[in-house]
Amino acid sequence: QVQLVESGGGLVQPGGSLRLSCAASGSIVSIGTMSWYRQDPGKERELVAAITSIGTTSYADSVKGRFTISRVNAKNTIYLQMNSLKPEDTAVYYCNAIVTSRIGVPALSYWGQGTQVTVSS
């Protein structure tokens, strides 16, 4: 089994910053793309940012220039540095990872439990 544990959420004022972390552990042979998603109540879960195993990144248009995703492969960990936060960034943020747990077995998608980010004055 594979576990993803997120941390770093909280309450921040508009214009402030937060840094989220997501660490993968368990039965891991290799990890492909790791991503951050977010979901507001009543809305669909949306992709915020993704990073491949070789460091190629992509971002939702709504966060480009404000958020930065990074990765430390040796720690099976990704980060999301969020700057210039806006009230519309308020959501539960989820980590996702595509993980190969056994050689010869297709990789599976795993999710973390989510961490709340609230941007409010």
Side-chain angles (χ1 to χ4, degrees), residues 42-99:
K43 296 184 180 180
E44 290 189 0
R45 190 171 296 189
E46 63 171 349
L47 178 64
V48 176
I51 185 166
T52 69
S53 59
I54 60 171
T56 303
T57 60
S58 59
Y59 298 92
D61 287 342
S62 58
V63 306
K64 280 181 182 177
R66 300 189 298 123
F67 290 12
T68 302
I69 189 171
S70 60
R71 177 170 181 160
V72 178
N73 287 332
K75 295 183 178 181
N76 291 332
T77 298
I78 60 169
Y79 305 93
L80 186 68
Q81 178 66 43
M82 305 186 293
N83 298 329
S84 302
L85 282 161
K86 305 175 181 179
E88 51 263 44
D89 293 318
T90 295
V92 178
Y93 284 69
Y94 296 92
C95 176
N96 175 269
I98 308 301
V99 180

